[in-house]
């Protein structure tokens, strides 16, 4: 392409993707500008059905699997060569934005449509997926969509006792939406050779560093804990400072230490105390108990484990010094997931060839890519999020960023499926 | 009295007061062992009426005033000489103990009864009061009882818009209980020359220091603030440590500073962050906003004011350094109230003469004595609270402590009314 053609080509995608994301946000739109599409809800179902029509209109063969994952397929010339998959999810958090997940689906459809129109049938089959569920917003469960594709979950045996806020079980909701074992194609796949997920960054690193594209080296491991600090509730007026066993003063020292230790380590180490409850929580009573959560993330399992261990013993030391009791429990331990070096290298070369600035980075958030990684070569690509805002009606990515991402995705898919 | 007689005399009071407090706790008793007597409630009214019978049976003239304060009077020989008052309150917090307030009322009745039986009519009139309300448990208002006696409040013009949790106004509740302007004797008094309040400590100072009696030098001043720390809620995984504006990490540093500064000052300085709310309060979201209360108490207004000023500017400095916004509002400012030096000296001498250990101390909690102090010579006497526990069914004071307090009270009342 000439430079002029390239500019036109990118403009076309910018408009196309933006228009499609606006249109898709109509499914589950709330008056405040947010989008709520929960797994197997009416708005979710309508969005999936509408997308299947878009896929068909783009020349793809659309189909659902038993879990409700929607695929658009472009059959390859070479039989038995497996399949190159791209896509993301269309379920949202409550009152989320228009870009998280949806961008990867819309971009995938646009990319396959462009490849078909310009290069005809691929050698290897290409598919775009709109995963049924990633956010865990309706049920206390995440990655139901990609988890069924990889065999982590099975529609025939959904986890029991998983219910939404209304008491409806995952199984009931799945059946109500017309899905479940035997209703469509089996979810479990063994033919996928590569999965490429294009996603908004959900952070402000690319924006601040003015990089067009982020090439994800891995998804950080996450550990989550709940700590309970137990002191003694007492009268705020009649208990001298020296005799107090103030659970909140103790927790404050712990939170300060966590922040200090995490800040002292290099990126991508992050540690967050996001939730905290005080009891009895009355202005004139010394806090007797404080419960708080700790969320720690790093791309290196050894660094992550040693940080958590050190924090645990340092918090215990603070509690001991203050005559407080401390108990901690770990309720999440997700290992770091590295992306495929070969695909990362291809992405780096593509960006260079296109004159797009890029940087290697870790994903601090979880994505379907981490579920797909054990079964196929997996890569992730980020585009900037304005002000790093995500999971909010304020979520926004500029049109030129949307099109840059699609252009890089097209080049990689071409490399994998046509060459 | 001989030593033997003195021992018998104290034993008698121990039994008498303990029996009366047990009996009184039957009014408003809950199954968990707590006592709930809210202003103008049925259990409160029954307790006041039952106490008026006890007063009459003890040789006192019982009467109510318009606010529902109950008095037991022992007329003095010398007309126009004014009145020496003792007593406390019988309203409670929800599920409170048997001693807070009630002890001062029972002790006052026992003291006047003893003085009458042993020394006959006093020179100056003696009265015991069971104030209608001190705790602020039913209505968002405190000291309604003593406040009517001193003229701070008037039954004819109760504060408007003061309602309980059921929406009943103070005025409606007062009228329902049969009180209000013109129903009984006027509440406002100008004849009270001295007020002595005997009360449990509600702290653990006397117990830890093994002192029989605390002679209160003053009631600390209190200032209460609410601070709002505003940062930026953000994704816990995708926001590097260096770019965070974490409201909770900022609040933690502030709480640590408050504790450090208050501990560095001598008693009776106390500072407490008792209530704290995090928003959005989700494990994987960096806290955007934290609101917390600060309760500061000291007996010296200058020390109190300078501490609050320093804390205010130090908290602002922490906020500035972290790129956080801080707003603070003061919603309580009660000045310290000194007790009368002459009465304190008399109490010290009485304890010495009785061979009772005692220490001067400040009251970190509020009491009716601070309302009476502007209109008459006022003193307060503390006896030990087991483990410092108060406002709880676990509230307890040993019988020998109860009787020691009564003995000192009797001696002071004798000095003031008979000599």
């Amino acid at each position: 392409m000439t430079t002029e053609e390239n500019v036109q080509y990118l403009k076309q995608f910018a408009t196309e993707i933006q228009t499609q994301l606006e249109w898709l946000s109509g499914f589950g739109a709330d008056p405040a500008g947010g989008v709520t599409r929960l797994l197997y809800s009416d708005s979710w179902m309508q969005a999936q059905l509408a997308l299947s029509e878009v896929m068909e209109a783009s020349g793809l063969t659309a189909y659902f699997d038993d879990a409700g994952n929607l695929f658009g397929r472009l059959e390859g010339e070479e039989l038995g060569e497996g399949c190159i998959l791209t896509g993301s999810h269309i379920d949202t958090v409550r009152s989320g934005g228009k870009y998280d997940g949806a961008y990867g689906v819309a971009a995938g459809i646009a990319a396959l449509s462009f490849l078909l129109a310009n290069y005809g049938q691929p050698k290897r089959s290409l598919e775009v997926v709109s995963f049924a569920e990633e956010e865990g917003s309706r049920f206390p469960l995440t990655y139901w969509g990609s988890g069924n594709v990889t065999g982590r979950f099975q529609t025939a045996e959904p986890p029991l006792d998983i219910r939404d806020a209304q008491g409806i079980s995952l199984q009931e909701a799945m059946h109500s939406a017309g899905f479940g074992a035997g209703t469509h194609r089996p979810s479990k796949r063994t033919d996928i050779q590569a999965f490429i997920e294009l996603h908004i960054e959900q952070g402000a690193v690319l924006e601040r560093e003015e990089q067009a594209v982020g090439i994800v080296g891995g998804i950080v491991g996450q550990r989550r804990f709940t700590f309970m600090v137990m002191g003694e509730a007492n009268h705020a007026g009649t208990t001298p400072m020296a005799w107090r066993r103030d659970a909140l003063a103790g927790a404050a020292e712990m939170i300060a230490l966590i922040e200090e230790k995490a800040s002292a380590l290099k990126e991508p180490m992050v540690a967050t105390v996001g939730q905290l409850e005080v009891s009895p929580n009355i202005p004139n009573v010394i806090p007797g108990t404080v419960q708080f959560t700790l969320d720690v993330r790093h791309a290196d399992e050894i660094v992550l484990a040693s940080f958590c261990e050190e924090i645990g013993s340092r918090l215990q030391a603070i509690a001991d010094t203050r005559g407080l009791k401390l108990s901690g429990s770990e309720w999440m331990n997700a290992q770091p997931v590295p992306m495929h070096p070969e695909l990362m290298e291809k992405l780096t070369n593509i960006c260079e060839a296109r004159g797009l600035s890029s940087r290697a980075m870790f994903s601090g958030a979880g994505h379907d890519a981490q579920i797909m990684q054990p079964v196929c070569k997996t890569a992730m690509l980020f585009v900037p999020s304005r002000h790093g805002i995500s999971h909010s009606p304020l979520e926004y990515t500029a049109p030129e960023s949307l099109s840059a991402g699609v252009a890089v995705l097209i080049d990689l898919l071409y490399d994998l499926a046509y060459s």
Side-chain angles (χ1 to χ4, degrees), chain A:
Chain A
M1 279 188 278
T2 63
T3 309
E4 178 55 28
E5 279 171 342
N6 194 33
V7 166
Q8 284 308 316
Y9 155 95
L10 290 175
K11 270 196 181 165
Q12 173 205 323
F13 285 122
T15 308
E16 186 177 332
I17 302 289
Q18 216 180 11
T19 306
Q20 196 162 82
L21 292 177
E22 284 297 329
W23 164 78
L24 194 60
S25 73
F27 298 91
D30 63 47
V35 184
T36 306
R37 281 190 302 261
L38 305 184
L39 176 64
Y40 301 139
S41 67
D42 287 348
S43 57
W44 173 91
M45 190 67 215
Q46 284 159 20
Q48 287 286 69
L49 287 172
L51 276 175
S52 77
E53 287 173 24
V54 172
M55 288 173 175
E56 290 283 349
S58 304
L60 311 179
T61 306
Y63 67 94
F64 281 99
D65 71 8
D66 286 345
N69 294 313
L70 169 67
F71 295 85
R73 182 172 174 94
L74 205 52
E75 197 68 42
E77 292 165 0
E78 302 173 2
L79 289 177
E81 277 289 324
C83 163
I84 311 299
L85 183 66
T86 187
S88 192
H89 60 94
I90 64 142
D91 71 310
T92 66
V93 297
R94 285 173 203 277
S95 197
K98 300 171 181 169
Y99 299 82
D100 183 350
Y103 169 52
V105 176
I109 296 172
L112 266 58
S113 166
F114 178 88
L115 288 167
L116 176 64
N118 288 274
Y119 306 106
Q121 190 179 15
K123 283 189 183 166
R124 279 162 289 278
S125 297
L126 274 168
E127 289 195 28
V128 54
V129 61
S130 172
F131 283 125
E133 193 280 329
E134 187 255 14
E135 298 284 3
S137 305
R138 177 170 179 184
F139 298 97
L141 177 101
T142 50
Y143 309 117
W144 175 247
S146 49
N148 269 286
V149 170
T150 61
R152 171 186 290 225
F153 295 124
Q154 293 174 43
T155 49
E157 292 174 8
L160 296 172
D161 293 331
I162 294 282
R163 292 181 183 274
D164 69 7
Q166 275 69 52
I168 299 167
S169 75
L170 173 60
Q171 188 161 31
E172 288 161 4
M174 177 171 64
H175 290 161
S176 294
F179 297 102
T183 57
H184 298 73
R185 293 203 203 174
S187 294
K188 176 85 187 288
R189 297 279 289 264
T190 53
D191 62 322
I192 298 169
Q193 293 185 330
F195 175 64
I196 327 294
E197 186 170 7
L198 177 54
H199 205 281
I200 56 167
E201 181 197 338
Q202 300 182 269
V205 173
L206 294 175
E207 181 186 68
R208 289 208 186 195
E209 299 195 352
E210 297 182 344
Q211 300 289 310
V213 168
I215 297 166
V216 178
I219 294 164
V220 298
Q222 291 187 37
R223 297 201 184 194
R224 293 193 195 164
F225 304 84
T226 295
F227 289 100
M228 174 84 90
V229 184
M230 286 154 287
E232 193 173 55
N234 234 321
H235 195 295
T238 62
T239 314
M241 296 305 290
W243 297 351
R244 297 179 171 210
R245 296 196 289 129
D246 182 331
L248 181 55
E253 190 181 341
M254 294 173 188
I255 292 166
L257 178 91
I258 290 165
E259 187 195 36
E260 181 201 323
K261 290 284 165 192
S263 301
L265 286 171
K266 281 185 190 158
E267 285 182 29
M269 172 59 74
V270 286
T272 308
V273 176
Q275 195 173 57
L276 185 144
E277 303 288 350
V278 180
S279 170
N281 211 30
I282 297 170
N284 59 345
V285 178
I286 298 164
T289 308
V290 169
Q291 184 174 296
F292 66 86
T293 59
L294 171 62
D295 173 314
V296 186
R297 309 190 192 195
H298 196 278
D300 183 326
E301 178 60 20
I302 293 168
V303 177
L304 185 59
S306 104
F307 179 85
C308 292
E309 201 178 319
E310 191 197 345
I311 288 294
S313 63
R314 292 291 299 267
L315 297 194
Q316 187 60 59
I318 291 171
D320 292 345
T321 305
R322 290 173 165 271
L324 302 168
K325 282 187 187 166
L326 179 73
S327 70
S329 65
E330 187 181 77
W331 48 275
M332 183 198 275
N333 183 345
Q335 305 280 312
V337 179
M339 297 291 99
H340 201 278
E342 184 192 314
L343 297 185
M344 284 171 66
E345 200 189 327
K346 284 183 191 286
L347 286 169
T348 307
N349 294 339
I350 289 168
C351 289
E352 223 173 87
R354 286 205 158 265
L356 285 170
S357 58
S358 74
R359 64 161 277 173
M361 62 190 298
F362 291 100
S363 172
H367 292 289
D368 288 309
Q370 76 198 55
I371 307 304
M372 299 300 292
Q373 186 266 2
V375 304
C376 63
K377 293 181 184 176
T378 302
M380 271 205 92
L381 201 63
F382 281 164
V383 293
S385 291
R386 187 173 64 184
H387 307 329
I389 296 170
S390 181
H391 285 186
S392 154
L394 297 176
E395 202 173 72
Y396 178 78
T397 294
E400 57 272 25
S401 297
L402 298 175
S403 62
V406 177
V408 176
L409 177 65
I410 286 173
D411 290 357
L412 181 58
L413 293 177
Y414 181 85
D415 179 292
L416 295 174
Y418 284 85
S419 62

